[in-house]
């Protein structure tokens, strides 16, 4: 079909399966659901380039093709082999993809936590018949039990008990520490749980993190004494995430290595928002960890220590 301008796109929001990218059509006009590995494709129905797929027009005629993946390593999960670029569901709760030997998954069920509140003093997650994901229910209790349970996470003010429309003012904020970065090198994810929100509800919060680039040489330290930061890059760099690039460039600090067998990890990280822009023209913000200082210690990430392997070898656990 020939392109027509100005663009006329459907008014309804685009509904795509979980894990499927929104990409522009060949006219650069409208967002469409990207075709996946093995599916038919065309200029108006492009393949998911975020997953390294391209449309091969040599196998099918009349302007149609089939989505194939660029050459890459396969993935082995519990004895089953998946091709590079292949999407699969190991369970009803996960949607996964194989990307050059690494497996990435997104949850299909909500992972939120729920604290007791005046409107729901005894929250409980239950399994619903014929449904994969568990759902929250609120159990009723006696008046005394309701008040005691709610007060465990809300400020107890004798003059004024918490009202349903006053949750945030009476909420006792509880926040866990950020977890270690999921990757020893390259872009990873760190998470924490907090109830710092208007509903005073425990929710999982994530941020991007990069302890060190996988291809950056590590600065040597004095014998077994210090953990040094690798020098900042001479030229500023742009972060890449899910096929999108940070709108501005940065000169971040990274962690180096320790010569006595200990591992070097961030000691004083901070969190700041980073804006990313995608080839399709979209933009979004993600929280990201920025390193201020690093330290040597023996509490190393299990089976994922960069100092026990080369920078170019894929680390165990880096597919999470």
């Amino acid at each position: 079909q020939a392109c027509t301008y100005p663009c006329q796109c459907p008014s309804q929001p685009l509904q795509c399966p979980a894990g499927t990218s929104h990409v522009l059509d060949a006219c650069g006009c409208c967002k469409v659901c990207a075709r996946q590995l093995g599916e038919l494709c065309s200029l108006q129905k492009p393949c998911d380039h975020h997953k390294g797929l391209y449309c091969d027009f040599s196998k099918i005629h009349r302007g149609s093709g089939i989505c194939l993946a660029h050459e890459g390593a396969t993935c082995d999960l519990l004895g089953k082999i998946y091709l590079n670029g292949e999407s699969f569901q190991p369970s009803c709760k996960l949607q996964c993809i194989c990307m050059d030997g690494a497996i990435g998954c997104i949850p299909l069920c909500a992972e939120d936590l729920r604290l007791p509140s005046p409107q729901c003093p005894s929250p409980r997650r239950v399994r619903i018949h014929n449904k994969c994901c568990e759902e929250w229910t609120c159990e009723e209790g006696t008046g005394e039990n309701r008040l005691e349970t709610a007060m465990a996470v809300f400020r107890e003010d004798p003059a004024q008990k918490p009202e349903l429309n006053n949750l945030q003012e009476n909420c006792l904020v509880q926040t866990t520490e950020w977890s270690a970065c999921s990757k020893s090198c390259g872009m990873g994810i760190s998470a924490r749980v907090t109830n710092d929100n208007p509903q005073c509800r425990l929710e999982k919060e994530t941020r991007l993190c990069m302890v060190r680039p996988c291809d950056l040489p590590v600065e040597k330290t004095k014998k077994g004494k210090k953990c040094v930061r690798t020098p900042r890059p001479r030229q500023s760099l742009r972060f890449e995430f899910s096929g999108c690039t940070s709108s501005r460039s940065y000169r971040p600090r990274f962690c180096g290595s320790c010569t006595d067998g200990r591992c070097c990890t961030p000691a004083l990280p901070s969190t700041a928002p980073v804006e990313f822009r995608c080839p399709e023209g979209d933009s979004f913000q993600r929280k990201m960890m920025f390193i201020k200082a690093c330290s040597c210690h023996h509490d190393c990430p299990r089976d994922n220590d960069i100092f026990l392997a080369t920078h170019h070898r894929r680390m165990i656990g880096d597919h999470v």
Side-chain angles (χ1 to χ4, degrees), residues 291-307:
I291 298 172
K292 294 182 179 179
C294 304
S295 64
C296 285
H297 56 85
H298 292 287
D299 185 18
C300 302
R302 187 182 61 178
D303 295 330
N304 200 28
D305 189 2
I306 191 174
F307 312 113

Side-chain angles (χ1 to χ4, degrees), residues 5-130:
Y5 298 99
C7 298
Q8 295 182 350
C9 301
S11 58
Q12 297 295 328
L14 193 60
Q15 299 291 335
C16 301
T20 300
S21 303
H22 296 183
V23 296
L24 288 174
D25 58 21
C27 298
C29 277
C30 305
K31 292 290 184 67
V32 296
C33 297
R35 298 295 169 140
Q36 304 303 304
L37 185 69
E39 294 182 348
L40 294 178
C41 54
S42 66
L43 292 177
Q44 297 301 326
K45 299 176 180 178
C47 300
D48 199 336
H49 64 86
H50 293 292
K51 299 176 181 177
L53 304 181
Y54 68 96
C55 194
D56 186 354
F57 293 98
S58 65
K59 304 185 182 298
I60 300 179
H61 301 292
R62 297 181 182 177
S64 295
I66 187 169
C67 286
L68 299 179
H70 294 289
E71 185 177 355
T74 58
C75 301
D76 183 352
L77 181 63
L78 301 176
K80 188 169 183 180
I81 303 299
Y82 297 95
L83 300 176
N84 179 38
E86 183 177 359
S87 297
F88 59 94
Q89 274 190 257
S91 73
C92 63
K93 296 183 178 182
L94 290 174
Q95 176 73 41
C96 303
I97 182 175
C98 172
M99 297 186 69
D100 194 21
I103 298 175
C105 299
I106 59 172
L108 300 179
C109 298
E111 294 185 328
D112 60 327
L113 304 173
R114 190 161 185 173
L115 283 172
S117 66
Q119 65 186 93
C120 186
S122 303
R124 189 167 65 94
R125 216 164 195 167
V126 297
R127 187 179 297 277
I128 308 297
H129 182 62
N130 292 331

Side-chain angles (χ1 to χ4, degrees), residues 123-138:
R124 189 167 65 94
R125 216 164 195 167
V126 297
R127 187 179 297 277
I128 308 297
H129 182 62
N130 292 331
K131 285 190 176 182
C132 175
C133 302
E134 297 176 336
E135 296 183 2
W136 286 102
T137 60
C138 296

Side-chain angles (χ1 to χ4, degrees), residues 206-248:
T206 60
R207 67 177 180 183
L208 301 177
C209 52
M210 184 184 291
V211 179
R212 59 185 65 80
C214 293
D215 56 354
L216 188 68
V218 178
E219 180 182 328
K220 300 214 174 186
T221 63
K222 293 184 180 179
K223 189 172 180 182
K225 294 296 182 184
K226 293 181 180 178
C227 164
V228 297
R229 296 182 295 263
T230 52
R232 286 182 172 175
R234 293 182 180 178
Q235 295 183 345
S236 55
L237 57 85
R238 294 181 186 270
F239 296 116
E240 293 185 5
F241 174 67
S242 190
C244 305
T245 307
S246 61
S247 57
R248 54 160 290 196

